[in-house]
Amino acid sequence: MIPKECKRLAEVDFPIAEVSRHAAREKSIRHGHPSTLHLWWARRPLAACRAMLLGLLWPDPCDPHCPGEFRQKARQLLPGVPGRVGPTDEDLRKALLKFIAGFANWDLSKNRNYLEVSRALIKAAHGDEPPLVVDPFAGGGSIPLEALRLGCETFASDLNPVACLILKVMLEDIPRQGPELAAELRRVGGEIKRQAEQALAELYPRDPDGAVPIAYLWARTVRCESPNCGAEIPLMRSFWLCRKANRRRALRYKVVKGGPPRVEFEIFAPKSDKEVPGGTVTRAKATCLCCNRVLLPDRVRVQLAGQRGGADVVFDSKGNRIGGARMLAVVTLQPDIQGRNYRLPTGRDYEAVWKAQKGLKEILDEWERGGKKGLCPVPDEPTPAGGGSGAGRAFSVQRYGMLQWGDLFTARQKVALATLVDHVSILKEQAITASQEMLSIVINRCADYWSSLCSWHLTGEKVNHTFGRQALPMIWDYCEVFPFSDSSGN
Ligand SMILES: [Zn+2]
């Protein structure tokens, strides 16, 4: 055991420059990194956690109270990893710091030699009973994960249930069950995907020519309030659909008179940027395409608040669209043709949305009939208040009437998510707990990609997820993806 009076290595020195360099590099690594398991805020690089844990768990060999066994073991083991160790205690300290700096490298994080030496030296310092590392606010779990890998006993907790789910999966399920869990997850997940795809088939119809719609591009709408106009203004940040060098597509419009004015769209391949109209909305100021008058931000917000954010189509009793969100274009994949195709929406596309709205009502009615047991199938908790200054500015959705989390999603997205939740919840009754937890994580990722705050990536031709930054900003024209495509967001 390290006596109380003995300084820990991190109290006297720490290879901060090298660890920083490794930590910065680690941040750009996505493939195979535990942080990709689930989105979490302010993730600490594993490199920094591993290095600091060793610095805190190992004693300073120059301290007179340092256990002799630790010095001896370090002299014995270190030459095998970072190289030769000089004769003095100072030399030993240098070698330990060099080891810590080297082990911060992502490429060596799974290296057996480094792991074994780390564990052996922790044991030499602490005795046979492994030290307990406690992280009461563990968040994404970088510290407890590294502590476990270094052979410590670990206790991790968090106030946020999402963080707890991440911790449970990463620190308990995966280490306990290993590769078998991956096999079970593929099996159970595949089965759920098959069932959900079947259950949702009529909400995502194929085109009559066999093309598969992979994304629906939408605009929220408001009404022009200038006298004698009253036209619908689709709120569009841009008229571009695709800005790839080899495929440039955009919308252009014409105003149709006779009755209240309205706009009709057309898809074309612009030869120069000048042919593409500018957007209709900047900083919440909307410009009417029919009379060119401006609708001020306050009015835009009031009108959208009246539609709970405006992500849903408003239909009459026969299923004809009379307002709300307007579909601008549908992105499809055609059999035997490479690349994405852009077409205008048809009645079939809106019919599927109408069916989704009826399906959603059915889901909510059933919950009410059952006495509203458990959580509402559509999250009805309040969204974060904000829109003021400081941190609150990150959350502007309440200003547009998205007062509950459910308001962030279209009816079809809600049905899709509720269907997945249903299928995954059943696993709990069947005691397939670990896969159930991992699939909950999958649903969370789906929710990130299936909200009305996802925009369309104009050059990547793919959906951007909700939390591109740590905020919930208004997205005027958003993208709704087909959940079972082979493209991103599936
Ligand atoms: Zn107008």
Side-chain angles (χ1 to χ4, degrees):
M1 280 296 285
I2 310 172
K4 234 178 178 162
E5 318 74 81
C6 176
K7 279 208 157 78
R8 304 290 171 111
L9 190 53
E11 291 181 273
V12 294
D13 203 353
F14 187 73
I16 193 157
E18 261 190 276
V19 172
S20 293
R21 215 181 57 237
H22 287 308
R25 178 176 162 247
E26 189 194 307
K27 277 285 181 181
S28 65
I29 288 162
R30 302 280 301 157
H31 191 77
H33 195 281
S35 67
T36 56
L37 182 68
H38 198 293
L39 189 69
W40 193 250
W41 323 118
R43 277 197 178 269
R44 309 290 172 233
L46 299 176
C49 299
R50 189 160 59 242
M52 191 39 89
L53 280 165
L54 289 177
L56 291 172
L57 289 164
W58 287 346
D60 172 24
C62 300
D63 192 295
H65 303 286
C66 175
E69 199 193 333
F70 176 79
R71 282 199 198 100
Q72 200 188 345
K73 199 86 187 167
R75 287 204 168 277
Q76 179 198 331
L77 293 177
L78 285 180
V81 190
R84 215 179 60 82
V85 182
T88 67
D89 286 344
E90 291 261 347
D91 294 329
L92 186 57
R93 183 201 273 170
K94 267 186 209 148
L96 286 165
L97 291 167
K98 194 174 162 199
F99 178 95
I100 290 175
F103 196 18
N105 187 341
W106 169 256
D107 300 331
L108 294 175
S109 60
K110 285 180 283 186
N111 182 287
R112 278 203 92 80
N113 289 338
Y114 272 94
L115 276 170
E116 276 165 14
V117 170
S118 302
R119 288 173 193 162
L121 291 185
I122 288 171
K123 205 170 166 186
H126 294 265
D128 280 338
E129 202 174 313
L132 173 65
V133 173
V134 177
D135 187 353
F137 309 107
S142 297
I143 294 170
L145 175 66
E146 286 304 323
L148 272 186
R149 281 170 17 89
L150 296 175
C152 302
E153 287 285 332
T154 305
F155 175 87
S157 60
D158 201 286
L159 187 61
N160 188 303
V162 176
C164 288
L165 177 67
I166 299 172
L167 295 171
K168 185 142 194 316
V169 168
M170 197 169 64
L171 306 174
E172 282 183 15
D173 297 346
I174 295 174
R176 267 183 205 164
Q177 305 202 25
E180 275 164 43
L181 179 58
E184 183 188 272
L185 186 66
R186 283 197 188 92
R187 184 177 58 75
V188 177
E191 181 58 21
I192 287 181
K193 183 186 170 220
R194 204 183 54 74
Q195 290 170 9
E197 189 165 5
Q198 219 164 34
L200 297 168
E202 65 167 0
L203 304 189
Y204 301 96
R206 284 183 174 228
D207 286 0
D209 66 357
V212 180
I214 55 162
Y216 305 88
L217 308 184
W218 292 91
R220 298 167 206 268
T221 68
V222 289
R223 286 263 164 210
C224 175
E225 293 180 352
S226 72
N228 306 324
C229 183
E232 185 180 85
I233 310 174
L235 299 170
M236 298 159 73
R237 184 184 37 130
S238 154
F239 278 69
W240 282 98
L241 297 172
C242 176
R243 290 192 85 150
K244 263 196 177 143
N246 60 350
R247 183 165 44 245
R248 289 154 64 88
R249 297 284 182 279
L251 289 165
R252 61 187 167 201
Y253 66 95
K254 61 175 185 228
V255 177
V256 184
K257 298 249 164 86
R262 61 191 172 86
V263 282
E264 263 179 17
F265 288 111
E266 178 186 30
I267 294 172
F268 75 117
K271 291 196 179 61
S272 88
D273 288 9
K274 282 185 201 141
E275 295 171 51
V276 182
T280 62
V281 61
T282 44
R283 296 173 167 271
K285 246 195 303 193
T287 307
C288 176
L289 293 172
C290 298
C291 73
N292 287 318
R293 293 241 170 72
V294 167
L295 191 65
L296 292 173
D298 278 351
R299 295 303 306 159
V300 171
R301 288 192 193 108
V302 166
Q303 286 202 32
L304 287 178
Q307 308 171 42
R308 302 196 73 134
D312 272 320
V313 185
V314 180
F315 292 103
D316 67 11
S317 59
K318 292 195 181 100
N320 300 307
R321 177 181 179 272
I322 52 171
R326 176 169 178 174
M327 214 182 286
L328 299 171
V330 180
V331 190
T332 65
L333 286 180
Q334 291 168 302
D336 307 324
I337 300 180
Q338 257 218 328
R340 283 139 169 70
N341 176 54
Y342 294 79
R343 65 162 174 83
L344 289 174
T346 65
R348 271 167 64 89
D349 297 314
Y350 279 110
E351 197 192 331
V353 173
W354 194 44
K355 279 182 191 159
Q357 291 191 6
K358 288 193 286 191
L360 178 65
K361 190 170 176 300
E362 190 50 44
I363 290 172
L364 288 168
D365 286 350
E366 198 186 313
W367 180 64
E368 272 184 33
R369 280 198 300 272
K372 297 193 176 183
K373 267 189 226 122
L375 295 172
C376 179
V378 173
D380 55 357
E381 296 86 350
T383 50
S389 55
R393 240 161 82 189
F395 303 109
S396 55
V397 289
Q398 281 206 351
R399 303 175 83 190
Y400 299 95
M402 292 180 249
L403 301 179
Q404 299 179 350
W405 286 100
D407 298 334
L408 267 45
F409 304 88
T410 71
R412 180 159 53 184
Q413 288 171 330
K414 284 182 235 194
V415 173
L417 286 165
T419 304
L420 280 190
V421 169
D422 262 0
H423 280 94
V424 171
S425 308
I426 295 170
L427 298 177
K428 204 164 197 172
E429 292 157 25
Q430 301 167 347
I432 309 181
T433 323
S435 279
Q436 191 253 339
E437 283 162 359
M438 294 208 80
L439 287 166
S440 307
I441 281 178
V442 173
I443 293 178
N444 286 358
R445 181 165 293 205
C446 292
D448 187 24
Y449 279 88
W450 303 352
S451 89
S452 73
L453 300 181
C454 295
S455 55
W456 180 243
H457 194 297
L458 291 177
T459 47
E461 291 188 285
K462 57 181 183 183
V463 63
N464 292 314
H465 66 134
T466 304
F467 288 113
R469 55 193 183 96
Q470 297 179 12
L472 288 173
M474 176 48 128
I475 301 291
W476 308 106
D477 38 3
Y478 58 89
C479 164
E480 183 188 19
V481 287
F482 171 48
F484 306 102
S485 74
D486 291 324
S487 314
S488 69
N490 68 356

PDB file of all heavy atoms in Angstrom, residues 293-308:
ATOM      1  N   ARG A 293     -43.190  40.947 -50.070  1.00  0.00           N
ATOM      2  CA  ARG A 293     -43.198  41.650 -48.781  1.00  0.00           C
ATOM      3  C   ARG A 293     -42.553  40.744 -47.718  1.00  0.00           C
ATOM      4  O   ARG A 293     -42.483  39.525 -47.873  1.00  0.00           O
ATOM      5  CB  ARG A 293     -44.642  41.972 -48.372  1.00  0.00           C
ATOM      6  CG  ARG A 293     -45.282  42.981 -49.291  1.00  0.00           C
ATOM      7  CD  ARG A 293     -45.691  44.235 -48.523  1.00  0.00           C
ATOM      8  NE  ARG A 293     -46.098  45.292 -49.448  1.00  0.00           N
ATOM      9  CZ  ARG A 293     -47.244  45.262 -50.137  1.00  0.00           C
ATOM     10  NH1 ARG A 293     -48.077  44.252 -50.005  1.00  0.00           N
ATOM     11  NH2 ARG A 293     -47.541  46.257 -50.951  1.00  0.00           N
ATOM     12  N   VAL A 294     -42.124  41.390 -46.635  1.00  0.00           N
ATOM     13  CA  VAL A 294     -41.405  40.670 -45.588  1.00  0.00           C
ATOM     14  C   VAL A 294     -42.314  40.419 -44.395  1.00  0.00           C
ATOM     15  O   VAL A 294     -43.069  41.314 -43.989  1.00  0.00           O
ATOM     16  CB  VAL A 294     -40.154  41.474 -45.163  1.00  0.00           C
ATOM     17  CG1 VAL A 294     -39.561  40.938 -43.876  1.00  0.00           C
ATOM     18  CG2 VAL A 294     -39.111  41.439 -46.279  1.00  0.00           C
ATOM     19  N   LEU A 295     -42.277  39.205 -43.879  1.00  0.00           N
ATOM     20  CA  LEU A 295     -42.999  38.880 -42.642  1.00  0.00           C
ATOM     21  C   LEU A 295     -41.976  38.897 -41.514  1.00  0.00           C
ATOM     22  O   LEU A 295     -40.958  38.203 -41.580  1.00  0.00           O
ATOM     23  CB  LEU A 295     -43.646  37.497 -42.774  1.00  0.00           C
ATOM     24  CG  LEU A 295     -44.644  37.086 -41.704  1.00  0.00           C
ATOM     25  CD1 LEU A 295     -45.881  37.979 -41.724  1.00  0.00           C
ATOM     26  CD2 LEU A 295     -45.057  35.621 -41.891  1.00  0.00           C
ATOM     27  N   LEU A 296     -42.247  39.709 -40.508  1.00  0.00           N
ATOM     28  CA  LEU A 296     -41.241  39.920 -39.458  1.00  0.00           C
ATOM     29  C   LEU A 296     -41.119  38.716 -38.525  1.00  0.00           C
ATOM     30  O   LEU A 296     -42.068  37.943 -38.374  1.00  0.00           O
ATOM     31  CB  LEU A 296     -41.586  41.186 -38.667  1.00  0.00           C
ATOM     32  CG  LEU A 296     -41.424  42.468 -39.501  1.00  0.00           C
ATOM     33  CD1 LEU A 296     -41.941  43.676 -38.743  1.00  0.00           C
ATOM     34  CD2 LEU A 296     -39.968  42.675 -39.925  1.00  0.00           C
ATOM     35  N   PRO A 297     -39.946  38.578 -37.908  1.00  0.00           N
ATOM     36  CA  PRO A 297     -39.669  37.400 -37.069  1.00  0.00           C
ATOM     37  C   PRO A 297     -40.755  37.103 -36.035  1.00  0.00           C
ATOM     38  O   PRO A 297     -41.122  35.940 -35.842  1.00  0.00           O
ATOM     39  CB  PRO A 297     -38.348  37.753 -36.390  1.00  0.00           C
ATOM     40  CG  PRO A 297     -37.671  38.656 -37.354  1.00  0.00           C
ATOM     41  CD  PRO A 297     -38.755  39.448 -38.029  1.00  0.00           C
ATOM     42  N   ASP A 298     -41.275  38.148 -35.395  1.00  0.00           N
ATOM     43  CA  ASP A 298     -42.305  37.904 -34.378  1.00  0.00           C
ATOM     44  C   ASP A 298     -43.511  37.192 -34.963  1.00  0.00           C
ATOM     45  O   ASP A 298     -44.071  36.282 -34.368  1.00  0.00           O
ATOM     46  CB  ASP A 298     -42.772  39.242 -33.773  1.00  0.00           C
ATOM     47  CG  ASP A 298     -41.813  39.704 -32.700  1.00  0.00           C
ATOM     48  OD1 ASP A 298     -40.925  38.899 -32.347  1.00  0.00           O
ATOM     49  OD2 ASP A 298     -41.949  40.853 -32.242  1.00  0.00           O
ATOM     50  N   ARG A 299     -43.913  37.627 -36.174  1.00  0.00           N
ATOM     51  CA  ARG A 299     -45.083  37.018 -36.817  1.00  0.00           C
ATOM     52  C   ARG A 299     -44.766  35.602 -37.291  1.00  0.00           C
ATOM     53  O   ARG A 299     -45.608  34.711 -37.215  1.00  0.00           O
ATOM     54  CB  ARG A 299     -45.556  37.881 -37.996  1.00  0.00           C
ATOM     55  CG  ARG A 299     -46.080  39.264 -37.602  1.00  0.00           C
ATOM     56  CD  ARG A 299     -47.226  39.181 -36.604  1.00  0.00           C
ATOM     57  NE  ARG A 299     -48.300  38.309 -37.084  1.00  0.00           N
ATOM     58  CZ  ARG A 299     -49.214  37.745 -36.300  1.00  0.00           C
ATOM     59  NH1 ARG A 299     -49.173  37.933 -34.984  1.00  0.00           N
ATOM     60  NH2 ARG A 299     -50.143  36.977 -36.822  1.00  0.00           N
ATOM     61  N   VAL A 300     -43.547  35.410 -37.793  1.00  0.00           N
ATOM     62  CA  VAL A 300     -43.144  34.062 -38.208  1.00  0.00           C
ATOM     63  C   VAL A 300     -43.237  33.126 -37.012  1.00  0.00           C
ATOM     64  O   VAL A 300     -43.787  32.019 -37.095  1.00  0.00           O
ATOM     65  CB  VAL A 300     -41.702  34.074 -38.787  1.00  0.00           C
ATOM     66  CG1 VAL A 300     -41.193  32.659 -39.011  1.00  0.00           C
ATOM     67  CG2 VAL A 300     -41.668  34.858 -40.100  1.00  0.00           C
ATOM     68  N   ARG A 301     -42.739  33.602 -35.863  1.00  0.00           N
ATOM     69  CA  ARG A 301     -42.741  32.756 -34.664  1.00  0.00           C
ATOM     70  C   ARG A 301     -44.163  32.466 -34.205  1.00  0.00           C
ATOM     71  O   ARG A 301     -44.500  31.335 -33.862  1.00  0.00           O
ATOM     72  CB  ARG A 301     -41.946  33.425 -33.541  1.00  0.00           C
ATOM     73  CG  ARG A 301     -40.466  33.405 -33.816  1.00  0.00           C
ATOM     74  CD  ARG A 301     -39.645  33.792 -32.610  1.00  0.00           C
ATOM     75  NE  ARG A 301     -38.273  34.030 -33.066  1.00  0.00           N
ATOM     76  CZ  ARG A 301     -37.710  35.232 -33.145  1.00  0.00           C
ATOM     77  NH1 ARG A 301     -38.367  36.311 -32.743  1.00  0.00           N
ATOM     78  NH2 ARG A 301     -36.490  35.362 -33.611  1.00  0.00           N
ATOM     79  N   VAL A 302     -45.009  33.498 -34.221  1.00  0.00           N
ATOM     80  CA  VAL A 302     -46.393  33.297 -33.780  1.00  0.00           C
ATOM     81  C   VAL A 302     -47.092  32.274 -34.678  1.00  0.00           C
ATOM     82  O   VAL A 302     -47.764  31.358 -34.206  1.00  0.00           O
ATOM     83  CB  VAL A 302     -47.161  34.645 -33.781  1.00  0.00           C
ATOM     84  CG1 VAL A 302     -48.659  34.419 -33.661  1.00  0.00           C
ATOM     85  CG2 VAL A 302     -46.653  35.538 -32.652  1.00  0.00           C
ATOM     86  N   GLN A 303     -46.887  32.430 -35.987  1.00  0.00           N
ATOM     87  CA  GLN A 303     -47.557  31.501 -36.907  1.00  0.00           C
ATOM     88  C   GLN A 303     -47.043  30.067 -36.741  1.00  0.00           C
ATOM     89  O   GLN A 303     -47.824  29.117 -36.775  1.00  0.00           O
ATOM     90  CB  GLN A 303     -47.350  31.957 -38.343  1.00  0.00           C
ATOM     91  CG  GLN A 303     -48.178  33.180 -38.719  1.00  0.00           C
ATOM     92  CD  GLN A 303     -48.371  33.274 -40.232  1.00  0.00           C
ATOM     93  OE1 GLN A 303     -48.433  32.260 -40.918  1.00  0.00           O
ATOM     94  NE2 GLN A 303     -48.466  34.490 -40.733  1.00  0.00           N
ATOM     95  N   LEU A 304     -45.732  29.917 -36.556  1.00  0.00           N
ATOM     96  CA  LEU A 304     -45.201  28.561 -36.380  1.00  0.00           C
ATOM     97  C   LEU A 304     -45.627  27.985 -35.030  1.00  0.00           C
ATOM     98  O   LEU A 304     -45.910  26.791 -34.906  1.00  0.00           O
ATOM     99  CB  LEU A 304     -43.683  28.541 -36.524  1.00  0.00           C
ATOM    100  CG  LEU A 304     -43.173  28.709 -37.957  1.00  0.00           C
ATOM    101  CD1 LEU A 304     -41.650  28.723 -37.986  1.00  0.00           C
ATOM    102  CD2 LEU A 304     -43.686  27.585 -38.867  1.00  0.00           C
ATOM    103  N   ALA A 305     -45.683  28.862 -34.004  1.00  0.00           N
ATOM    104  CA  ALA A 305     -46.118  28.379 -32.689  1.00  0.00           C
ATOM    105  C   ALA A 305     -47.545  27.846 -32.778  1.00  0.00           C
ATOM    106  O   ALA A 305     -47.891  26.866 -32.116  1.00  0.00           O
ATOM    107  CB  ALA A 305     -46.020  29.499 -31.661  1.00  0.00           C
ATOM    108  N   GLY A 306     -48.365  28.465 -33.635  1.00  0.00           N
ATOM    109  CA  GLY A 306     -49.730  27.977 -33.839  1.00  0.00           C
ATOM    110  C   GLY A 306     -49.763  26.586 -34.456  1.00  0.00           C
ATOM    111  O   GLY A 306     -50.769  25.887 -34.393  1.00  0.00           O
ATOM    112  N   GLN A 307     -48.643  26.180 -35.066  1.00  0.00           N
ATOM    113  CA  GLN A 307     -48.548  24.830 -35.668  1.00  0.00           C
ATOM    114  C   GLN A 307     -47.606  23.940 -34.855  1.00  0.00           C
ATOM    115  O   GLN A 307     -47.078  22.961 -35.370  1.00  0.00           O
ATOM    116  CB  GLN A 307     -47.988  24.921 -37.090  1.00  0.00           C
ATOM    117  CG  GLN A 307     -48.675  25.884 -38.029  1.00  0.00           C
ATOM    118  CD  GLN A 307     -47.858  26.026 -39.337  1.00  0.00           C
ATOM    119  OE1 GLN A 307     -47.353  25.054 -39.892  1.00  0.00           O
ATOM    120  NE2 GLN A 307     -47.719  27.242 -39.830  1.00  0.00           N
ATOM    121  N   ARG A 308     -47.342  24.303 -33.604  1.00  0.00           N
ATOM    122  CA  ARG A 308     -46.404  23.561 -32.743  1.00  0.00           C
ATOM    123  C   ARG A 308     -45.070  23.344 -33.432  1.00  0.00           C
ATOM    124  O   ARG A 308     -44.483  22.255 -33.388  1.00  0.00           O
ATOM    125  CB  ARG A 308     -47.000  22.225 -32.323  1.00  0.00           C
ATOM    126  CG  ARG A 308     -48.315  22.357 -31.591  1.00  0.00           C
ATOM    127  CD  ARG A 308     -48.651  21.086 -30.889  1.00  0.00           C
ATOM    128  NE  ARG A 308     -47.790  20.922 -29.720  1.00  0.00           N
ATOM    129  CZ  ARG A 308     -48.213  20.567 -28.523  1.00  0.00           C
ATOM    130  NH1 ARG A 308     -49.490  20.341 -28.327  1.00  0.00           N
ATOM    131  NH2 ARG A 308     -47.389  20.425 -27.522  1.00  0.00           N
TER     132      ARG A 308
END
